[in-house]
Amino acid sequence: MSTDPQPELEAAEADPATTVPLKIEDWLTVLVMGALALITFANVLARYFTNESFAWTEEISVFLMIALTLVAASAAVARDRHIRIEYFSGSGSMARRKGLSRFGAVMVAILFTLIGTLSIRMVWDDFRFEETTPGIGVPAWWYSIWLPILSLGIALRAVGLFIRRGRGE
């Protein structure tokens, strides 16, 4: 019998088997974080050496932070790591825990389906009325189009979690 806890830790932290690989969210997180760091660093250097800042960095940074939040939420839902009250979700019988997990997945799917569906109207209005961003004047729908896409992606991850929990995984 091995006393090394590492294999148990690795098994506990292993990603669940999903149809769409979780590497997508992982790599998007890396790319967005890298872009955010580069933009922020470039702005710091510009401010330090010229006492001027790039006007476009704040607008793009805010967009990247929102995108990062939604991508991370998708990964958290797929890995069943979303926010919950451990007292209720971790106690009781296995059937109760499984039922609460499935209930949570349904609620997440409903919420993000609603957000995705309702935000489509916002994107359409941004496009139709030719809204532009205040900082750099690009079409606002370039940013807002990602809200329904990522929200519906989160909803699909929640549906996948619901199905996996139904199978007992």
Side-chain angles (χ1 to χ4, degrees):
M1 183 169 166
S2 173
T3 58
D4 183 22
Q6 193 62 30
E8 293 173 17
L9 277 173
E10 289 174 6
E13 295 296 323
D15 283 339
T18 57
T19 306
V20 178
L22 285 167
K23 293 285 185 202
I24 293 171
E25 280 95 341
D26 294 343
W27 277 104
L28 280 173
T29 299
V30 168
L31 292 173
V32 171
M33 284 293 292
L36 198 54
L38 284 173
I39 288 169
T40 303
F41 184 66
N43 197 31
V44 167
L45 287 178
R47 231 186 256 169
Y48 182 77
F49 289 114
T50 67
N51 289 331
E52 299 283 330
S53 65
F54 296 132
W56 52 270
T57 58
E58 182 180 355
E59 188 172 294
I60 292 176
S61 292
V62 168
F63 162 72
L64 289 174
M65 284 188 272
I66 292 168
L68 180 64
T69 302
L70 292 170
V71 168
S74 177
V77 168
R79 290 181 171 108
D80 197 18
R81 302 262 184 208
H82 50 81
I83 296 173
R84 66 180 118 234
I85 300 172
E86 292 293 328
Y87 177 77
F88 296 113
S89 68
S91 62
S93 68
M94 184 56 78
R96 179 176 182 263
R97 287 186 291 199
K98 185 174 162 181
L100 284 174
S101 179
R102 293 188 87 200
F103 176 73
V106 167
M107 293 295 105
V108 169
I110 290 170
L111 173 69
F112 281 98
T113 299
L114 281 171
I115 291 171
T117 304
L118 294 174
S119 63
I120 289 171
R121 175 65 189 258
M122 179 184 71
V123 174
W124 174 244
D125 286 345
D126 285 348
F127 179 77
R128 183 173 55 150
F129 295 120
E130 298 178 1
E131 297 269 340
T132 57
T133 60
I136 53 179
V138 298
W141 68 268
W142 288 6
Y143 297 136
S144 60
I145 189 72
W146 296 101
L147 180 59
I149 292 169
L150 294 173
S151 294
L152 294 173
I154 294 170
L156 290 173
R157 285 293 193 188
V159 169
L161 176 63
F162 178 82
I163 292 167
R164 284 196 319 273
R165 289 295 178 241
R167 288 190 217 139
E169 295 178 23

